[in-house]
Amino acid sequence: KNYPDGWADLDPYASYKANFDGTLRGSKNSELIFTRTYIKETITNIAKDGVPKSLKGNNKLGVTQKAVDAFYMNDGRTIDEASEDGDYIEEGFTTTAGQYPFVPLDVSLMYVNREPRFYATVAFSGSLWECESANETQYKNQQIFYYRDGTDGKQGFKEECPLTGIGFNKYNNREDAYTTGGYRVDKTEPTIRYAEILLAYAEALNELSPGKSYMVKAYKDDDITVEYNLNEIRRAIKPIRMRAGLPDYKDAEYNNKNNLSLKMKRERQIEFIGEGTARYRDLRRWKDALVEENKPIQGCNINIPKDDAVKQNFYKSVVVTSVPKSFVQMMYLLPFPQQELKKNVNLTQNPGW
């Protein structure tokens, strides 16, 4: 069916990717509500930081294994559900060109048959970087690996690579090239986009108690009634799922408030990955940060070379010990600046600071 009941009339990959890679200017994209265009210190730098070293990028950004595992399969199942059915496979590599969408030869099978947002975001080892504006053919349509002995891998004792062995390409445009003569498409910072409005609305409705209604003041002081309403919740979530090329949640999933809450948290984790501090703010307001932010960062084993005898071990998840994590109770609140405390002697510092 056509959008928003399906995705027959749109390309889920391109529709999602266009919000970040400069394909659509902010003023031409009705999904972007508040934006800033060509901000060097944010989007432009983030884009270059994700580009591999061999393509003249900074080769800095790594996606965690937790984030990779959050993405759905292309039919809407989680990787755990697909694993039970034998459809999510962690060992082995692709052997035929064009066998799987978005996935070239010699790529780990754990990256095949994933949802479109995965391929619009994650530069897994073996993914393709187009760099179409490059003058030199050696930079165009290159398959990039992050094995230790490769140009974009760890090499020696230097960690000048994505520390998780998984790259990030959400803001990269297929025309972008950092070589002599190449150019970069201007990017728009998606500070607030419509997907945020829809998911926030659905989450808020799901928090209400069934059978109760609330009167609130809206635009021009009109009174409106807000209440727990499954049809409204679905009306907000379904467009997100359809644009992602995924089936809508089942009725049983909508009818389970607690389960739906967990699903919406996962949806936000996927939809807004790499968009500022969205994930960190969500974890704090859900009061999930003490658990989630204290889990160690995990990723591929970047000490493994591209040797057929051992390269499978590259994809066995390990802890990234060089980036320890810590979140304590006091971090749920920010500290007041010392100058503000001096201005107002009645103001007390937040606990722990």
Side-chain angles (χ1 to χ4, degrees), residues 18 25 63 73 84 100 114 120 158 195 204 226 298 307 312 317 332 335 344:
R25 300 279 292 184
V63 178
M73 302 296 287
E84 291 176 0
Y100 301 100
R114 303 299 287 271
K158 295 182 179 180
V226 179
Q298 292 185 285
D307 182 324
Q312 183 64 65
S317 186
Y332 276 123
N344 184 354

Side-chain angles (χ1 to χ4, degrees), residues 125-140:
S125 187
S127 59
L128 199 68
W129 291 77
E130 296 91 349
C131 300
E132 291 179 349
S133 71
N135 289 333
E136 306 92 334
T137 56
Q138 71 191 75
Y139 297 112
K140 292 184 177 182

Side-chain angles (χ1 to χ4, degrees), residues 103-244:
V103 181
L105 285 171
D106 205 24
V107 170
S108 172
L109 291 177
M110 68 170 60
Y111 300 135
V112 306
N113 291 330
R114 303 299 287 271
E115 60 160 298
R117 289 178 297 186
F118 174 84
Y119 299 110
T121 303
V122 178
F124 49 85
S125 187
S127 59
L128 199 68
W129 291 77
E130 296 91 349
C131 300
E132 291 179 349
S133 71
N135 289 333
E136 306 92 334
T137 56
Q138 71 191 75
Y139 297 112
K140 292 184 177 182
N141 295 313
Q142 292 300 307
Q143 194 176 5
I144 301 299
F145 292 94
Y146 296 111
Y147 296 113
R148 178 172 185 143
D149 52 347
T151 302
D152 302 294
K154 179 179 177 180
Q155 301 185 28
F157 294 100
K158 295 182 179 180
E159 293 187 336
E160 297 175 352
C161 62
L163 298 183
T164 59
I166 308 163
F168 181 75
N169 67 357
K170 185 169 182 173
Y171 296 100
N172 184 73
N173 189 291
R174 61 183 302 117
E175 297 179 25
D176 287 352
Y178 292 85
T179 58
T180 303
Y183 62 82
R184 275 74 61 194
V185 177
D186 286 354
K187 311 297 189 297
T188 297
E189 182 185 307
T191 311
I192 302 175
R193 55 190 182 92
Y194 191 48
E196 162 68 19
I197 306 302
L198 291 174
L199 288 177
Y201 179 54
E203 183 183 342
L205 290 181
N206 192 56
E207 292 297 317
L208 299 179
S209 299
K212 290 185 178 181
S213 60
Y214 307 83
M215 298 297 295
V216 298
K217 294 288 185 181
Y219 182 61
K220 293 184 178 179
D221 294 325
D222 293 332
D223 288 340
I224 62 172
T225 301
V226 179
E227 59 186 0
Y228 177 76
N229 186 316
L230 277 177
N231 290 331
E232 279 293 287
I233 294 175
R234 175 171 249 145
R235 190 170 72 91
I237 293 177
K238 188 176 179 180
I240 304 292
R241 300 284 292 180
M242 295 300 104
R243 198 271 294 281

Side-chain angles (χ1 to χ4, degrees), residues 244-287:
L246 296 174
D248 191 15
Y249 299 142
K250 299 175 182 177
D251 290 344
E253 293 171 315
Y254 277 108
N255 284 311
N256 186 324
K257 281 172 62 72
N258 291 333
N259 187 43
L260 184 59
S261 177
L262 294 176
K263 285 187 172 295
M264 285 193 284
K265 287 181 178 182
R266 187 181 196 131
E267 206 67 54
R268 290 183 66 91
Q269 180 184 8
I270 296 169
E271 181 72 17
F272 304 121
I273 181 173
E275 296 182 43
T277 57
R279 175 68 175 166
Y280 183 66
R281 294 198 310 270
D282 280 345
L283 291 176
R284 288 171 69 234
R285 70 184 179 85
W286 292 329
K287 298 298 185 289

